[in-house]
Amino acid sequence: QVQLVESGGGLVQAGGSLRLSCAASGRTFSTRAMGWFRQAPGKDREFVAGISWNSINTYYTDSVKGRFTISRDNAKNTVYLQMNSLKPEDTAVYYCTAGQRSWRPDEYWGQGTQVTVSS
């Protein structure tokens, strides 16, 4: 079992940056792929980024490539999402996730953190 708690969301102007953090509990954190999904108002939940257990492989949806970076610190049981050059269309609730598949780690979910980008 993995429990996930996100932090770092907030309100930022377009072009700004935010870093989301996700603290995970459970002894199996270091063996699981981790990721971030988001859901904007009126839209389906979508995959944003994923990272393998050893950080060798990372995956991103096309709309965030070059702007977002996912990373993890297994010693701290924490995964991060650095978001730069934010756009209003990045506004969404961001969810931290864990699972077996780096390209879609969707077995365990956090409660979400709101990110709002103003124009």
Side-chain angles (χ1 to χ4, degrees):
Q1 190 75 8
V2 177
Q3 293 183 327
L4 306 168
V5 179
E6 304 96 335
S7 61
L11 173 64
V12 63
Q13 289 188 331
S17 299
L18 280 175
R19 187 175 82 155
L20 305 182
S21 299
C22 173
S25 63
R27 293 177 294 175
T28 60
F29 171 83
S30 61
T31 66
R32 296 183 186 271
M34 300 294 296
W36 293 90
F37 285 67
R38 66 186 179 186
Q39 187 167 22
K43 295 188 177 181
D44 293 334
R45 199 169 288 187
E46 67 168 344
F47 170 78
V48 176
I51 187 167
S52 60
W53 68 272
N54 55 7
S55 301
I56 290 179
N57 298 308
T58 56
Y59 302 86
Y60 299 92
T61 192
D62 286 346
S63 62
V64 308
K65 286 180 180 177
R67 299 189 298 122
F68 290 12
T69 302
I70 189 171
S71 62
R72 66 190 294 164
D73 185 338
N74 286 347
K76 296 181 178 180
N77 278 16
T78 302
V79 62
Y80 306 96
L81 186 67
Q82 178 67 44
M83 305 186 293
N84 299 328
S85 303
L86 282 161
K87 305 176 181 180
E89 50 264 44
D90 295 317
T91 295
V93 176
Y94 283 71
Y95 297 91
C96 175
T97 66
Q100 296 301 314
R101 303 172 296 178
S102 302
W103 60 93
R104 193 174 179 84
D106 58 358
E107 296 175 36
Y108 299 95
W109 293 74
Q111 292 299 305
T113 185
Q114 176 70 45
V115 172
T116 303
V117 184
S118 63
S119 57

